[in-house]
Every structure is written in C-alpha cells, then in structure tokens.
Amino acid sequence: MELNRRALLKGSAGMLGAARLVSAQPQDPLQSWNEGPVKQQIVDFVRATTDPSSAKFVPPAERIATFDQDGTLWVEHPIYSQVVYCFDRLPSVVKAKPHLASVEPFKTVMSGNREAIGKLSMDDLMKILAATTTGMSVEDFDAEVKKWLVTARDPRWKKPFTSLTYAPMIELSKYMRDSGYKTYIVTGGGQDFVRMYADQVYGIPPEQVVGTAGGTTYGYDQNGQPFLTKDPKLLLNDNNAGKPEGIHLMIGRRPYAAFGNSTGDRQMLEYTMAGGGERLAMLALHDDAQREYAYGPAQGLPDTKVGTFTQALYDEATSKGWIVISIKNDWKSIFAGGLLLGGG
Amino acid sequence: MELNRRALLKGSAGMLGAARLVSAQPQDPLQSWNEGPVKQQIVDFVRATTDPSSAKFVPPAERIATFDQDGTLWVEHPIYSQVVYCFDRLPSVVKAKPHLASVEPFKTVMSGNREAIGKLSMDDLMKILAATTTGMSVEDFDAEVKKWLVTARDPRWKKPFTSLTYAPMIELSKYMRDSGYKTYIVTGGGQDFVRMYADQVYGIPPEQVVGTAGGTTYGYDQNGQPFLTKDPKLLLNDNNAGKPEGIHLMIGRRPYAAFGNSTGDRQMLEYTMAGGGERLAMLALHDDAQREYAYGPAQGLPDTKVGTFTQALYDEATSKGWIVISIKNDWKSIFAGGLLLGGG
C-alpha cells in the first residue's frame, strides 16, 4: 500500500506514465538479513497476507504487527536501558528526598555496590521505577528522558542506547508498514519512556507504543494551567500475560504477526497464533557472542534474568511453528547505528 | 493529505495530467452544517493547521482530534444506549445467577418500575455494568453486543441506535480525517462496547476508541486455547478528568481539536486548549426539541443527568473561546440514518 502510494506520488509529480511506475524494482527491503528459510518465511507471510488473490489475504485494516522492544528491537544485555535510566536518576531524587538514602532498595543503588545491585529483586526495581519516574508532571518526565537519551552511553560500545537498535528488525518493521501493517511496540518497558524515542528511532509513533503503564492524575498548577502528574499506581504490567491483555486494552485487535525474544513474549505469540488463518510468530535468539551477546538457558548458558529464553520456550516454538531467528546466522549486520537520535 | 492522495490515485489510474486534478472541486465536506460562524470556524481551523505556508501549520503526525460519543456523535437522551444494553442483558444474567434477583440494584431493574429505575445512582449503574459486561470472554461479549445492535430499537424513533448518529458530526470527523487528522472517540461509554460499531458507523477503528475500560485476564479453555476474560476491575473511568488521563494513556499526544457536549468533556477541552498554538474546542448544545431534544441547565431546563450542560460550562466556553454548536441553528440535518449498520 505504502510503497504503491509513494510510487504514484513520485510519478505524478514527474508526469510519468503508470506503466513505468509499475515496473520499478524496489531494492531488497530486508538487506540486513542473510538469505535462508527465516528470511524466506517472512517474505512468504507478507506476500500471502497482502496479495488480494491469496486465500490468506488479510484486509489492510486488520494488519497488526507487534514488536517487543528490549532484546527484540534493541540491546537489552547486560541490563535494560530503562533500569540504567532509573539508576542515573536516583541521586537527584535522593537529593530532593534525603530520607530515601537510608531506605532500601535506594541505599543499595546509591552505594554503587555492583554485586548487591545485581541481586535486587523485581519488587525492588519496581520501587526504584516508581521513585524515579512518578510524582512529576508528564512534561518534566519527558524532558528528563530526552536529556538522558542524548548523554547516556552503553558501557561496552560507548554509544547512545538509541544507536544500539537492530538493523534487521528496523528493516522488518518498515517492510511490514510498507506492506500495509500497522506496527506496534508491545514492551515490558515503561510506555511513557519508550514513547520518547520510538518515533525517531523505529518510526513508530507514541500512540502505537503499548508498555508497562501507570496512571496519571489531572490537576492544575499555581497559574491554573492543567497538567498530568505521573502516579505510582500500576495500570498495566506489560509482560507475559500482560502483553495480550495490553494489546486488547490499547489496540483491541489480535495481531497477525508478533516478534519477541524471551519468555515475557510467550503469551503474546501464543495469543497471536491462536487467531487462526495465516499468522507469524518469531523469537530472536541471542546466540552471537562476538557481534552482540550470547545468553540464556535455551543455549545451555546461564540465565541472566534479562530476556530469559528458556529451553521450554525453544521447544514450544519448534513444536508450534514459531520461528526462531538465530542472530548469528540470520542477521547479516546487527546494529542500525542510531541514524536519527544522537548516534555515536 | 488524504484528499490529495485519492486525487492522485484516481488521476494516475486514468492517466490524467496533474493540472486537471488540482482544479477538481470537491463538494462541500460539511453539507449538513448551516452556513455561519460555527461552520466557518471549523473550516478556518482546518485550513490554518493544514496549510504548510500557515504559521499555525501542524505536522500531520501531530494532528489528533478527539470526539466524545454520547450526545456528540449519537443520541444520548433520555438514556445512554449502553445502559439500555445492560438492562436488556440483565434477565439472562439473573437466569444464570438466580440469587441476583433479590439483590439491589438488580431487583429494581428486574421489577421494570421506571420511576425506581430512574433513581438508580451511578454506583448502582456501575454494578449493573459489571454484572452484564464482565465475567465472560471478550469473544462472547463481542457477539452479544453485535446481536443486540441489530435488534435493539430506540423507543422514540423505533430505529437501531446506530442509525441515530449525527450527520454533521460524521461529516466533521471525515473532513478532519481527509485533512490528515487522526480521529479518536474518547467516551465515558465502555471501550469494548463502542469498538463493536465505531468502525462501521463512524469510520473510526477499534484502536482509536478510548473509553471506560476494565481489565482482562489471560487464561485457557478446556482445549488449551488461550482467551481473555473481561474483569470487573476498572482501569480507566473515561469521564471528566479521566478523559485527559485516558488520552495520555492510550494516545500519548495532546489533541489539537476536541468535541464534546457536557461537563464530562470539560477537562478534555481544557487540556486540548492548554496545548498552545491553534486549537479547536467545541461543545454541542442540545437545543432542538423538535428535531431531536432540548435539555440541560444551560438552557434553564431540568438536569436530566445524561449529558449535563451546566450554565457554568456555557459561561466558561464563552469566556475561553470554546465554540458552542447550536444544534437547532447550526445543523441543517440531524441524523446520518445508519447507512452502514442495520439502518431502519
């Protein structure tokens, strides 16, 4: 749809005939993918669901594709970027509320003791998330995140996190959009956090980001101007079963294609495939220690608790026809390089 | 944008030159509106925000317009259609759970005593809503609503509720879409309920319906197939302050234009206008007793508690430049007639 429209717009401006437009050959939309069965299955799926003469044709309005973010669209190892953000924010929060310095889990984070920090529980992380991302206006939060995105650096690559996105997945999401699919991010990460860069980095606008979300409260400043304050109240924990629940809440349609990389995406893929007809479910396996990382029990490697890919998930994928992407074998190149935001 | 694209597609197919396309005169997109300052202000707003040479130009991606539903897009008087739905559903719920027959507020509704039913509180209505629209799968709920939409009739017009939509507002939402605006329904009604007909009736897809929403729970049937069950847990009460909160949750952008008809829309309009630059806020005043209804304190009429338009809201609108639509004077015709769904 989209490709067609562009061709027509371009053609019309140049007063070219329709015949010439139709014969134009676009370059390979998945050039960062190695040739092979995985790439072929993507192309086959898109062709089957977008060809009006196909029995598997899906009307444009129903073409929904959902992408996990951490580990699927950008690097998640060794620690989720948003956790880094929260840790980076904590000193100024403690400065404003000094009593937190002696309260756990803040005390541990402020100590800088990496071993102790590594042992923090999910409950601890949620407390840190609440302390560093709520109790402020939406505008203040947005400004802080934008500032951080430009200055923060990944410790291994010394680059902004937004430059560590995966070229093959960005191509894939664009390929799906150009084929009439509406692409959504469905992430365990904070919805408001991811919205700050998703459009620039992935071409996915704020209204198509579904994530872990808290409530807001509408109120007024001293000049009577209305604003929204971010609340610590959790509305949606967008992990595991929370992903299909979040998809229903925010989209209201079942996806035709879903992409993930961990057990946190299992239910989203299962829900997608349960829709019947032609559907696509894919999981990226981080098996490339040299170019990126190799981790997770499915490869007999330790569970790093970030993007856990269990053997059970691997077996389920194999038995159900969910496609496992080997980053090592299926991706010709890894990083998109952050073309748009800050890139290093 | 959209008009332009259509013209180009049409022209390209017919091998016409661009000059002829540009000169094509579309018919008045707001033909159900009487000429006058209200109609003019709509046209002026759309032109100013979509003309790239205008200082008030809004980039296409940021063009968000939000529409209340009850009383703004379709008839809400004398009772919200969704309340009728819940009352219609109640007998079969009571049949399945006989103990409810002797419990309030169910007992009152089952009695059929109109006077007593008219006195039910909002809390009572929420209990009836929970009993009749939760505890079932999303698919079962959808099927029940679809069945009801075809058979239920408005008591005054003896027509399906979906045929009692307002032609001028449907034209307006289409005009905004054709001008590159993404149109959303932001309703106090149930999100899942409105999603069942919004696309067919208004041309607004499920993912662009923001409404009062409950949670769902992901689980499995006896064959191991996953499904979502609708929970009584309220996630978003999309009325009053809940409207800007819901807009932030579901859209993540501030609207440039917002349309409502009652105090329940006040904060949505306020939030919209607080964004700065060129914005549009409009309120429909139901002042046409002959062709539709006249009700509400702003006209010195009794408060029917459905779509309350207070004098304070009227005064605020006047003082702040929010535009009040007089249905009697500004609308040439009222009903769209349900072109697409069942229409009688």
Side-chain angles (χ1 to χ4, degrees), chain A:
Chain A
M1 287 292 288
E2 195 61 20
L3 270 174
N4 205 19
R5 184 178 74 122
R6 292 222 189 108
L8 286 164
L9 286 167
K10 194 176 160 191
S12 184
M15 293 291 135
L16 298 172
R20 178 163 161 194
L21 293 175
V22 170
S23 72
Q25 282 292 335
Q27 67 177 157
D28 179 5
L30 299 175
Q31 53 185 309
S32 298
W33 293 73
N34 287 319
E35 298 302 326
V38 167
K39 179 175 179 175
Q40 193 58 49
Q41 284 173 95
I42 295 171
V43 173
D44 289 348
F45 169 82
V46 169
R47 285 189 181 152
T49 56
T50 58
D51 174 359
S53 70
S54 159
K56 298 167 178 173
F57 179 73
V58 176
E62 294 175 26
R63 292 181 201 157
I64 302 286
T66 54
F67 294 80
D68 168 57
Q69 192 203 205
D70 293 299
T72 300
L73 293 178
W74 76 352
V75 170
E76 66 183 353
H77 199 79
I79 186 171
Y80 297 124
S81 306
Q82 193 177 357
V83 174
V84 179
Y85 172 75
C86 294
F87 287 179
D88 286 353
R89 282 287 304 150
L90 195 58
S92 63
V93 170
V94 169
K95 197 174 169 187
K97 299 177 185 173
H99 69 281
L100 291 180
S102 55
V103 177
E104 291 296 356
F106 312 108
K107 191 177 167 184
T108 293
V109 178
M110 294 300 288
S111 75
N113 179 336
R114 290 190 177 215
E115 197 183 346
I117 291 170
K119 286 179 183 162
L120 291 174
S121 69
M122 190 49 79
D123 264 5
D124 289 332
L125 292 178
M126 291 304 277
K127 281 179 194 161
I128 294 161
L129 184 80
T132 53
T133 66
T134 70
M136 66 194 73
S137 76
V138 164
E139 283 74 16
D140 285 350
F141 173 79
D142 291 356
E144 286 293 342
V145 174
K146 280 183 182 169
K147 202 167 64 181
W148 180 85
L149 286 168
V150 174
T151 54
R153 292 292 179 273
D154 175 275
R156 174 172 163 190
W157 281 284
K158 321 289 182 206
K159 288 184 179 182
F161 292 101
T162 48
S163 72
L164 299 175
T165 55
Y166 302 132
M169 294 305 289
I170 287 183
E171 285 174 11
L172 172 56
S173 73
K174 185 174 183 308
Y175 174 50
M176 302 217 64
R177 282 193 296 282
D178 289 347
S179 304
Y181 277 85
K182 207 164 183 175
T183 54
Y184 283 82
I185 292 173
V186 177
T187 174
Q191 182 166 284
D192 285 347
F193 182 82
V194 178
R195 278 172 169 170
M196 283 301 101
Y197 54 84
D199 203 2
Q200 290 183 75
V201 173
Y202 306 122
I204 295 179
E207 63 269 28
Q208 285 161 231
V209 175
V210 179
T212 295
T216 56
T217 299
Y218 190 74
Y220 301 89
D221 69 15
Q222 54 199 13
N223 301 315
Q225 283 296 300
F227 71 101
L228 292 164
T229 301
K230 285 173 68 66
D231 294 336
K233 184 187 167 195
L234 186 68
L235 290 185
L236 174 65
N237 180 349
D238 199 44
N239 285 296
N240 306 98
K243 291 209 173 193
E245 291 161 7
I247 288 169
H248 178 71
L249 176 68
M250 304 281 293
I251 310 176
R253 299 190 199 255
R254 193 192 298 259
Y256 272 82
F259 307 92
N261 78 300
S262 79
T263 50
D265 303 310
R266 200 195 75 79
Q267 287 88 340
M268 175 170 75
L269 270 61
E270 180 181 61
Y271 177 67
T272 298
M273 298 306 280
E278 191 75 355
R279 310 264 169 173
L280 182 67
M282 301 186 90
L283 288 164
L285 181 70
H286 292 266
D287 59 357
D288 193 328
Q290 188 156 12
R291 293 189 301 168
E292 198 231 8
Y293 292 104
Y295 53 94
Q299 299 169 82
L301 296 167
D303 183 359
T304 56
K305 294 182 183 170
V306 167
T308 299
F309 198 137
T310 59
Q311 185 62 44
L313 179 63
Y314 192 93
D315 295 343
E316 183 175 12
T318 308
S319 73
K320 292 183 173 173
W322 304 354
I323 299 159
V324 175
I325 301 163
S326 161
I327 290 182
K328 188 173 177 180
N329 299 321
D330 293 317
W331 286 3
K332 196 181 290 178
S333 60
I334 307 276
F335 295 119
L339 296 172
L340 298 161
L341 242 184

Side-chain angles (χ1 to χ4, degrees), chain B residues 98-286:
Chain B
H99 70 280
L100 291 180
S102 54
V103 176
E104 290 296 356
F106 311 108
K107 191 177 167 185
T108 292
V109 178
M110 294 300 287
S111 77
N113 179 336
R114 289 189 178 215
E115 197 182 346
I117 291 171
K119 287 179 182 162
L120 292 174
S121 68
M122 190 49 79
D123 265 5
D124 289 333
L125 292 178
M126 292 303 278
K127 280 178 194 161
I128 293 160
L129 184 80
T132 53
T133 66
T134 69
M136 67 194 73
S137 75
V138 164
E139 282 74 16
D140 286 350
F141 173 80
D142 291 356
E144 285 293 343
V145 174
K146 281 184 182 168
K147 201 167 63 181
W148 180 85
L149 286 168
V150 174
T151 55
R153 292 291 178 275
D154 175 275
R156 174 172 164 192
W157 281 284
K158 321 288 182 205
K159 288 184 179 182
F161 292 100
T162 48
S163 71
L164 299 175
T165 56
Y166 302 131
M169 294 306 288
I170 288 184
E171 284 174 11
L172 173 57
S173 73
K174 184 174 183 309
Y175 174 50
M176 301 216 65
R177 281 193 296 281
D178 289 348
S179 304
Y181 277 85
K182 206 164 182 174
T183 55
Y184 283 81
I185 292 174
V186 177
T187 175
Q191 182 167 286
D192 285 347
F193 182 81
V194 179
R195 278 172 168 170
M196 283 303 100
Y197 53 85
D199 203 2
Q200 289 183 75
V201 172
Y202 306 122
I204 295 180
E207 62 269 27
Q208 285 161 231
V209 174
V210 179
T212 295
T216 55
T217 298
Y218 190 74
Y220 300 89
D221 69 15
Q222 54 199 16
N223 301 316
Q225 284 297 299
F227 71 101
L228 292 165
T229 301
K230 285 174 67 66
D231 293 337
K233 185 186 167 195
L234 186 68
L235 290 185
L236 174 65
N237 181 348
D238 199 44
N239 285 297
N240 306 100
K243 291 208 174 193
E245 293 162 5
I247 287 168
H248 178 71
L249 176 67
M250 303 281 293
I251 310 176
R253 301 190 198 255
R254 194 191 299 258
Y256 273 81
F259 307 92
N261 77 301
S262 79
T263 51
D265 303 310
R266 201 195 74 79
Q267 288 88 340
M268 176 169 76
L269 270 60
E270 181 181 61
Y271 177 67
T272 297
M273 298 305 280
E278 192 75 356
R279 309 263 170 175
L280 183 67
M282 301 186 91
L283 287 165
L285 182 69
H286 292 265

